[in-house]
Amino acid sequence: MGIHASNKLETLVEQLRQAKTVCALTGAGVSKESGVPTFRDEDGLWQKFRPEELANVNAFISNPSLVWEWYNWRRQLMSGVKPNLGHLALAELQDLVDSFVLITQNVDNLHRVAGNRDVIELHGNISRNKCHDCGKIFEKGDQETDFVFKPGELPKCPLCNGRLRPDVVWFGENLPVDAIERAWTLSQQCDVFLSIGTSSIVYPAAALPQLAKQAGAYLVEINPKPTDLAPMADMVFSSPSGEALPLIVQALKDSA
Ligand code: BJW
Ligand code: ZN
């Protein structure tokens, strides 16, 4: 490691040690090394459709089979994945700083599996279904139907016979109020904010690091392709999160 890189880690370790509250915001990039495709990279999800065309309530109403096909495929894909070194480092980080909150846009549950205790899910969780008509939420296993539905079959709500859908947040829908309110407040209160593996284009999540910076936090971006957030950041790691995060955690442990 060059002197420059080690100085950078020293500076960040100092910031993390002094911080009362550390927030991390994660996006699809953190799960890429687990084998979950991102939305907008070249090899991202279903290149023939833009995420805006599928993660969209109008698409679900006009073409529910297409939307269900996409979620079936993703559920199958996610059922076999495990946390990677980036997730595990974030779980370790929570015990190395004063107070740590993980805010995620991901629906894959991998931060909880990795061991993070305080996880704010901004965009829901793919392991649940919700009735589009009566709002009832079903955990995996609550329904009589299989979790991955048969092609052409549209799952129905066992209570009202309404249209079941994954319990995730689509474009044009509000984020869960408790989740976004808490994330908003914490972003304004925290001392260090880490933005990791997100393209920083989907709002309101993309506003959180900007909010943190404006309120005085030390802002760090970790992304192999730095985003429009980078010019605002105090420090940028242009590497995969599965590489950068273990280095940061190791440096923090070494300084103890
Ligand atoms: C690595 C890596 C490695 C690769 N390590 N990194 C016009 C202007 C402004 C705003 C709007 C507008 N029109 C509409 C809006 C609002 C809209 C919005 O923001 N649109 C933008 C596209 C412009 N937002 C909404 O609608 C939100 N709701 C809302 O605002 O409510 C109020 C409202 C009500 C009524 C009308 C209008 C507003 C809801 C947003 C919901 C987003 N939902 C999805 C799907 C979730 C469920 C599911 O998973 O199926 O969330 S879309 C998709 O994008 C998903 C993600 O969470 C989200 C963000 O993507 P993410 O995580 O950043 O992934 P990528 O693929 O974009 O980026 C991956 C990154 O990883 C890249 O940068 C790589 O370089 C990097 N990477 N390998 C680290 N190894
Ligand atoms: Zn129902």
Side-chain angles (χ1 to χ4, degrees):
M1 192 192 300
I3 180 101
H4 182 66
S6 71
N7 278 348
K8 203 167 148 181
L9 282 175
E10 265 171 42
T11 307
L12 181 52
V13 162
E14 191 57 26
Q15 289 289 338
L16 289 166
R17 290 215 158 280
Q18 284 169 6
K20 253 188 96 55
T21 306
V22 177
C23 282
L25 170 70
T26 63
V30 282
S31 294
K32 186 162 171 172
E33 290 154 89
S34 292
V36 183
T38 63
F39 292 89
R40 297 174 182 83
D41 289 324
E42 273 136 43
D43 53 350
L45 286 166
W46 275 32
Q47 275 307 301
K48 47 187 173 158
F49 298 101
R50 295 182 343 164
E52 289 77 3
E53 292 173 294
L54 293 167
N56 178 313
V57 69
N58 295 327
F60 178 70
I61 288 166
S62 62
N63 196 348
S65 305
L66 174 72
V67 175
W68 263 117
E69 204 190 324
W70 189 49
Y71 281 95
N72 274 343
W73 173 70
R74 291 177 57 206
R75 279 181 171 174
Q76 238 152 2
L77 200 142
M78 286 179 198
S79 67
V81 302
K82 294 194 181 67
N84 64 54
L85 293 175
H87 294 109
L88 298 174
L90 285 168
E92 268 194 273
L93 189 55
Q94 76 188 333
D95 295 320
L96 296 169
V97 296
D98 211 15
S99 151
F100 183 76
V101 183
L102 202 142
I103 307 167
T104 189
Q105 298 168 81
N106 298 345
V107 298
D108 58 24
N109 215 34
L110 286 175
H111 289 302
R112 287 222 176 80
V113 176
N116 275 105
R117 295 181 293 271
D118 195 356
V119 181
I120 301 179
E121 289 176 329
L122 295 178
H123 293 165
N125 192 307
I126 202 170
S127 72
R128 296 188 299 261
N129 282 332
K130 178 169 80 176
C131 175
H132 189 71
D133 298 290
C134 76
K136 168 88 180 163
I137 293 193
F138 299 92
E139 303 287 338
K140 188 173 179 175
D142 280 358
Q143 296 145 227
E144 287 157 27
T145 37
D146 287 338
F147 193 59
V148 172
F149 299 98
K150 295 186 190 73
E153 179 194 327
L154 290 178
K156 295 271 181 231
C157 171
L159 295 185
C160 77
N161 210 33
R163 295 160 287 182
L164 277 190
R165 53 168 283 182
D167 185 19
V168 297
V169 181
W170 287 329
F171 284 106
E173 293 185 316
N174 287 319
L175 276 61
V177 175
D178 294 356
I180 188 61
E181 279 186 354
R182 192 163 168 243
W184 203 265
T185 306
L186 282 162
S187 300
Q188 287 174 305
Q189 289 171 348
C190 71
D191 306 293
V192 177
F193 191 103
L194 311 169
S195 178
I196 313 168
T198 174
S199 54
S200 314
I201 61 172
V202 175
Y203 284 82
L208 299 174
Q210 302 170 29
L211 204 64
K213 177 68 190 166
Q214 280 157 15
Y218 191 82
L219 177 61
V220 180
E221 174 164 79
I222 302 175
N223 196 314
K225 285 192 196 147
T227 70
D228 288 350
L229 183 70
M232 198 191 276
D234 295 290
M235 189 177 279
V236 176
F237 290 85
S238 312
S239 47
S241 45
E243 289 175 21
L245 287 167
L247 281 179
I248 294 167
V249 165
Q250 191 56 49
L252 199 53
K253 284 198 221 160
D254 289 347
S255 76

